[in-house]
Amino acid sequence: MNLVVLGADIETPALKQLARHCGAQAIEQIDPAAFRLVGAQRREGVAALCDAAGIDYAFVPAGRRLADFGLFVTDMDSTLIDIECIDEIAGQCGKKAEVAEITEAAMRGEIDFRQSLTRRVALLEGLDAEALDTVYRERLRLNPGARELLTALKALGITTVLVSGGFTYFTERLKAELGFDHAYANTLERIDGKLTGKVTGAVVDAQAKADHLTRIRNQLDLPADRVIAAGDGANDLPMFRAAGFRVAFKAKPVLRAQADCSLNHSGLDAVLKLFA
């Protein structure tokens, strides 16, 4: 196993301290902002050491190449993009703080996702559906490195999937913009140009996200160790368990604890530096 560390300013003492802590056999420079600690062992305290040094890290099997993977599945809100769409939609009717509080509790794993979705969507009842377009045009931004990561994955022929507990209005547009092969999310019900405060069809919750990953993985006849999953909150835990390599992007502690790669200071394209 190797430990890859990433950061704009990785100081030599911090690098050597990590190497000693993990029993690494050697330190190899990947580029000015990335180093590989060869033969590192998973040990408690790595996350704390990296946080203290302001750097990111990932444990990667020796010799693993990005081309070895066949499937990449990512969450949308606060992972691929820099907002929680439902919070911004609620902002269009003056309820952002109320909705955001529920969103945060759900992402920390403190309340059931389905319950949180029902409560939050209900608060949108009566809002003009044009508010969705306003959020997409004026609020939604890709997280740093997202476009570069997707471009590289597609160039290698890796199947890409966007799966979200958010809404199809946004996932379908991002699918078209970034070239995802598949996209799954919840559909907001609209009647006469207004949101009804309900979703239609099957709810995409934590288990549904994992089920989509597993179904496509099986269709591609891939083992779990050829799947990368990326997310930021408790709603991504089942999806993480179904994937072989797990990327936590500016994630809640509950998800970071299950991650192979934690990115808190780097863009999503840092994933491209991890593999030999």
Side-chain angles (χ1 to χ4, degrees), residues 22-234:
C22 295
Q25 301 164 6
I27 299 173
E28 298 176 350
Q29 185 169 17
I30 299 170
D31 69 17
F35 291 83
R36 181 181 296 111
L37 278 58
V38 179
Q41 301 176 39
R42 288 182 182 270
R43 289 178 177 165
E44 292 291 329
V46 171
L49 287 171
C50 289
D51 284 344
I55 56 181
D56 295 325
Y57 72 94
F59 281 100
V60 182
R64 178 65 61 85
R65 303 172 305 155
L66 186 60
D68 293 335
F69 294 95
L71 177 62
F72 173 77
V73 183
T74 183
D75 173 52
M76 179 177 68
D77 296 278
S78 298
T79 303
L80 185 74
I81 62 175
D82 68 353
I83 61 169
E84 291 286 334
C85 289
I86 193 167
D87 295 357
E88 299 302 324
I89 297 169
Q92 301 297 304
C93 57
K95 298 179 180 178
K96 182 174 181 178
E98 185 175 357
V99 168
E101 183 177 353
I102 302 171
T103 299
E104 275 293 302
M107 292 304 99
R108 291 192 300 264
E110 296 172 359
I111 59 175
D112 175 74
F113 177 80
R114 282 179 176 252
Q115 176 190 357
S116 76
L117 181 67
T118 299
R119 288 171 56 189
R120 288 177 291 167
V121 172
L123 292 169
L124 306 179
E125 182 179 3
L127 181 65
D128 196 313
E130 290 185 1
L132 303 179
D133 184 60
T134 299
V135 170
Y136 185 78
R137 288 185 294 102
E138 299 181 5
R139 298 281 189 260
L140 187 151
R141 297 291 181 271
L142 294 175
N143 269 321
R147 191 180 302 277
E148 291 81 1
L149 175 60
L150 265 293
T151 298
L153 294 172
K154 293 188 69 62
L156 289 171
I158 296 172
T159 298
T160 56
V161 182
L162 178 59
V163 61
S164 173
F167 307 114
T168 54
Y169 185 92
F170 304 100
T171 56
E172 288 303 312
R173 284 159 176 75
L174 289 167
K175 178 186 176 185
E177 179 181 346
L178 297 175
F180 279 95
D181 295 295
H182 308 278
Y184 305 96
N186 296 298
T187 302
L188 288 168
E189 184 178 67
R190 290 183 279 183
I191 296 179
D192 297 329
K194 302 286 186 180
L195 301 182
T196 66
K198 300 177 182 178
V199 295
T200 62
V203 172
V204 177
D205 60 5
Q207 188 56 50
K209 293 168 79 169
D211 290 345
H212 281 303
L213 183 156
T214 302
R215 176 176 51 79
I216 296 172
R217 186 189 73 197
N218 291 339
Q219 288 174 353
L220 296 170
D221 195 25
L222 294 172
D225 65 5
R226 293 189 60 196
V227 180
I228 301 173
D232 73 294

